[in-house]
Amino acid sequence: MTSQPVTLEEVARRAGVSAGTVSRVLNGLNKENRPAIARRSDHIRRVAAEMGYRPNAAARSISRGQFRAAAFVTCGDVGVDWYPIACLNGIHVGLDDRGWRLTFTELPAEKLTDSALVPHLFRETAVDGLIVNLLPAFSKSIVPYFEAQPLPCVWLNLKRKVRAVYPDDATAATDGVRWLHAKGYRRVGYYCRRFREQPHYSVIDRFNGFLEGLRVTGLTGRRYWAPTGPGPSRFRQARDRATAFLQEFKDLDAVLCYEYGEAIPLIAAAERLGRRVPEDLEVVAFHEREVVDTSGLQVPTLIVPFYAVGLAAVTMLVELTERGDRDMPSVVVPYAGVTPA
Amino acid sequence: MTSQPVTLEEVARRAGVSAGTVSRVLNGLNKENRPAIARRSDHIRRVAAEMGYRPNAAARSISRGQFRAAAFVTCGDVGVDWYPIACLNGIHVGLDDRGWRLTFTELPAEKLTDSALVPHLFRETAVDGLIVNLLPAFSKSIVPYFEAQPLPCVWLNLKRKVRAVYPDDATAATDGVRWLHAKGYRRVGYYCRRFREQPHYSVIDRFNGFLEGLRVTGLTGRRYWAPTGPGPSRFRQARDRATAFLQEFKDLDAVLCYEYGEAIPLIAAAERLGRRVPEDLEVVAFHEREVVDTSGLQVPTLIVPFYAVGLAAVTMLVELTERGDRDMPSVVVPYAGVTPA
DNA sequence: TTGTACGCGTTATCAG
DNA sequence: CTGATAACGCGTACAA
């Protein structure tokens, strides 16, 4: 189990050739067009396999002068930290296809403010680039910190001009309204939690996308509370807030929710008020995955395309390490539309 | 940004000493008890800092003969893959404290069955050990596959005698019933989705822990459907199932749920039936984090101690790499009890 | 405490 | 196509 790893040298000795030859054969750098050669190469491969040879990644890295690895960076504060698993899926697939490894790094925001303390991530070089998950806990002030590091860096969930990848939330919200309109709903509202500080871009974009949806479908009526700015006073419980919302807009026949996290208390509140979901009130929500996976409620979902976001981030990062183009334009990833319940 | 990394040699040249000296000073291997030496060492450190020197992790790895890195392994199938973020938090903290790195690896189950294809994880050596997240998609048949690999390996969420770390679900469920009993509830039920195939151990343990809870509190009445074996026929919608459950057990005053995913449709169903939560029916659920973070419903929660699980897994793995003890006993991590809503 | 020299496992170069 | 041989960057005996 913890036996000493086999080296190239040992394989070479056992196969009666030199280490360089083994390296070349295993890496497919020979044409092997002559039968004798092909046979010998097969032999080498067989010996390597029998001995359980596995190249040492570290040795390859120093030899090649590159790690072929990227780091996913997130804040790591327990209870605050969050990232979509589908995004890591996409990142891993993108890297794996290119023969790169993925290292996972947490960098609590507090460790960044203390300039005396260099976080582990920057104490050693171990990766060729960074994919940074921007959380609210990672306030925007940390962007320049990362940008100053001597490592190519791609941003997730940050809306800006260059080197970022983010989902097209505005268009998705508009499409959500369109979808409801096509289903015959005419009194469509928007429900979102309340944000005191500067909220995530998606809070703004989804709300604006909803308004745009009303406009393009010709729906009328103001059935929402804006997610920021002045509004109804705060509530102790999420469900109290949802109840108040439903009581203010008694004629709603459909609601688009910022997130499934809003839909849950909204549905509970609606049912208590005798408004059955989805019979009397259709509820559509943004979510990272199909809602049926999560809880089995019937909620048509705008699935955030995090997998594609991850893939795109990798493409961008790898390209970034090849050319050195710091001004690579950001990628806005489209949604696939509403997934019916 | 993508400037060439500074090497030890360059720092040495600039500081007017040899590379070996720089290495020793930066790694704190000199006593520096004489003032002249201390001054020179300071100088070296300053030069290194100014030049932005960062040791190359790969070079260190080959030199030391160990990677100081562990891999977290999960299945990676989009939509199926899942792991608690808090667990990765714990793993990262545990590794980081020891100066180890964490690499993230996905290994779709299908790639394992095809024995001709060696997954990337096992094509190179790049880590000193594995922490494997056992998902249903990773059926138990893959355990021997990993165990046969020449790498120390610790299991997450697998209940067995050796080299596994898992939460104490049975005791937690019992404590959940105790908690409800202490609050004055007397007609306590248990609600769980239905499993056809061999379910995760927690499905069995939580259910048995619940039964034990009834026993120790002296509560009577059979207000549950067993999670496996014969039972009511399947339902199209999670909420239909929840409704049927509530209609069969009309006198329930509290329910313990296998997961928050069960609590959501249960609450929606209860409210529709006019049974208000939590006024008429208290609902307690297992969950990976505080429910208020997720959606703001009032659900007292048995928070699965995944952070501690991660920490314990690292402790076990590191110890495993030091001694070679394959039979290290598993660690069962206790819950902290019910977190009130 | 210092500098020198070697070793770690690979890849890449360059004559044969 | 092959086998020496020289890097790659760092840690660490070794002798000074």
Side-chain angles (χ1 to χ4, degrees), chain A residues 1-3 54-62 64 67 76-79 81-83 85 88-89 92-93 96 99 101-106 111 120 122-126 149-153 163 237-239 260-261 264-265 267-268 271-272 276-279 289 293-298 307 320 326, chain B residues 1-3 54-62 64 67 76-79 81-83 85 88-89 92-93 96 99 101-106 111 120 122-126 149-153 163 237-239 260-261 264-265 267-268 271-272 276-279 289 293-298 307 320 326:
Chain A
M1 173 174 190
T2 320
S3 54
R54 289 169 175 149
N56 181 306
R60 296 186 123 170
S61 293
I62 51 169
R64 303 198 262 229
F67 294 98
D77 294 313
V78 180
D81 197 11
W82 188 84
Y83 42 86
I85 286 179
L88 273 177
N89 281 330
H92 188 274
V93 168
D96 206 54
R101 263 164 289 118
L102 173 56
T103 95
F104 181 93
T105 309
E106 295 177 357
K111 287 208 178 171
H120 273 174
F122 298 127
R123 291 192 61 82
E124 277 188 347
T125 31
Q149 297 297 330
L151 230 40
C153 164
R163 263 179 304 112
Q237 298 293 335
R239 189 154 61 177
Y260 186 51
I264 294 172
I267 290 171
E271 294 285 356
R272 179 171 297 190
R276 296 153 44 112
V277 178
E279 296 87 338
R289 54 167 70 196
D293 289 346
T294 318
S295 73
L297 277 194
Q298 286 183 268
Y307 181 82
L320 204 55
R326 284 188 61 103
Chain B
M1 173 176 188
T2 320
S3 54
R54 289 169 175 152
N56 181 306
R60 297 187 119 167
S61 292
I62 49 169
R64 302 198 262 229
F67 294 98
D77 294 313
V78 180
D81 197 12
W82 186 84
Y83 42 84
I85 287 179
L88 273 177
N89 281 331
H92 188 274
V93 168
D96 206 54
R101 263 162 289 118
L102 172 57
T103 95
F104 181 93
T105 308
E106 295 177 356
K111 287 208 179 171
H120 273 174
F122 298 125
R123 291 192 61 82
E124 277 187 348
T125 30
Q149 297 298 330
L151 230 40
C153 165
R163 264 180 301 113
Q237 297 294 337
R239 191 155 59 177
Y260 186 52
I264 294 171
I267 290 171
E271 294 285 355
R272 178 172 297 190
R276 299 154 40 116
V277 178
E279 296 87 336
R289 52 166 72 195
D293 289 347
T294 317
S295 72
L297 276 194
Q298 286 182 270
Y307 182 82
L320 205 54
R326 284 188 63 103

Side-chain angles (χ1 to χ4, degrees), chain B residues 62-75:
Chain B
I62 49 169
S63 182
R64 302 198 262 229
Q66 105 189 118
F67 294 98
R68 304 218 177 150
F72 174 82
V73 183
T74 188
C75 85

Side-chain angles (χ1 to χ4, degrees), chain A residues 103-145:
Chain A
T103 95
F104 181 93
T105 309
E106 295 177 357
L107 215 45
E110 30 147 332
K111 287 208 178 171
L112 292 181
T113 55
D114 184 353
S115 60
L117 231 166
V118 182
H120 273 174
L121 175 61
F122 298 127
R123 291 192 61 82
E124 277 188 347
T125 31
V127 293
D128 300 309
L130 268 32
I131 297 176
V132 187
N133 179 225
L134 191 77
L135 288 168
F138 262 5
S139 80
K140 278 192 184 172
S141 63
I142 64 108
V143 173
Y145 174 87

